[in-house]
Amino acid sequence: MLRRQALLKISAVCAALALSGCTPSTPTFQNTDITGADFGKNFTLTDHTGKTRSLSDYQGKVVLIFFGFTQCPDVCPTTLAELSEVMKKLGSGADRVQVLFITVDPERDTQTVLGQYVPAFDPRFVGLTGSVEQIAAVAKDFKAFYQKVPTPNGSYTVDHFSGMYAFDATGRIRLFIRYRAPMDSVVADVKTLLKG
């Protein structure tokens, strides 16, 4: 009786293993998998060359979206510098990756300012801006918090969401990548997305 139960269990395990070979495997990511999230579906903004852009313009590429501003003292330049290194580590695969920097300070981050700042990290990077209302709507859709904070000199800085989102080549949101995530984990996840 015990032998029969053991054989049945072994048969069940073998059957499960055989079936698992027939179903497509789900990719394993090192950063936070948010596949199926119901936000961040699209936007219409202006890039640093003056062209109107939407997320759908980049279908066929893995897209990394980051919200920030050019006068940011630490988070933004650090993230863009790290993304530049990610692109180098991807080699020829980087040609199928698009980094988008969406400003949360459209009053100061004009097309000219973005055009000088964003491509300085990598000429393939694109800076996006719009009206105050457009940026607020896009940030809300992407659940990207930001707010102006007055400074003693009468100006302001901007507190903002510091993570980034990754989209696959079909335009589906797939990952949340926290600020200062290990670079190798970002490279590995982008490679996984590039495999489709």
Side-chain angles (χ1 to χ4, degrees):
M1 184 69 168
L2 287 173
R3 183 177 170 145
R4 184 169 179 233
Q5 286 177 339
L7 285 172
L8 286 172
K9 284 181 183 177
I10 291 169
S11 297
V13 169
C14 290
L17 288 171
L19 286 174
S20 70
C22 298
T23 56
S25 61
T26 304
T28 302
F29 295 112
Q30 295 182 32
N31 289 280
T32 307
D33 188 340
I34 57 170
T35 301
D38 191 29
F39 64 89
K41 293 180 180 172
N42 210 348
F43 57 77
T44 301
L45 294 171
T46 304
D47 76 12
H48 64 259
T49 70
K51 291 181 185 174
T52 300
R53 295 290 189 178
S54 65
L55 184 58
S56 57
D57 291 338
Y58 302 102
Q59 283 217 350
K61 290 189 172 190
V62 169
V63 176
L64 301 172
I65 293 181
F66 174 68
F67 289 81
F69 67 114
T70 62
Q71 294 188 39
C72 177
D74 44 28
V75 172
C76 303
T78 298
T79 299
L80 288 169
E82 288 176 349
L83 285 171
S84 176
E85 288 302 310
V86 166
M87 296 292 270
K88 289 174 188 168
K89 287 177 178 277
L90 289 169
S92 61
D95 293 334
R96 294 171 34 227
V97 176
Q98 183 62 62
V99 171
L100 301 177
F101 176 88
I102 300 177
T103 182
V104 291
D105 187 12
E107 294 158 295
R108 295 185 295 196
D109 288 346
T110 62
Q111 289 172 31
T112 302
V113 170
L114 286 172
Q116 292 169 347
Y117 183 79
V118 178
F121 292 92
D122 186 300
R124 295 167 289 197
F125 290 3
V126 173
L128 295 166
T129 190
S131 68
V132 171
E133 295 77 18
Q134 284 176 308
I135 295 298
V138 172
K140 182 178 180 183
D141 186 44
F142 278 76
K143 302 188 183 303
F145 166 84
Y146 69 98
Q147 72 175 17
K148 284 184 180 180
V149 178
T151 56
N153 65 1
S155 185
Y156 65 89
T157 187
V158 184
D159 283 347
H160 65 92
F161 168 83
S162 60
M164 94 183 104
Y165 294 115
F167 290 73
D168 66 22
T170 69
R172 286 189 309 155
I173 194 166
R174 301 299 298 276
L175 296 172
F176 168 73
I177 302 169
R178 64 180 170 75
Y179 174 57
R180 299 307 302 265
M183 192 178 300
D184 288 344
S185 76
V186 179
V187 173
D189 284 349
V190 170
K191 285 181 175 177
T192 298
L193 290 173
L194 286 171
K195 289 174 188 170

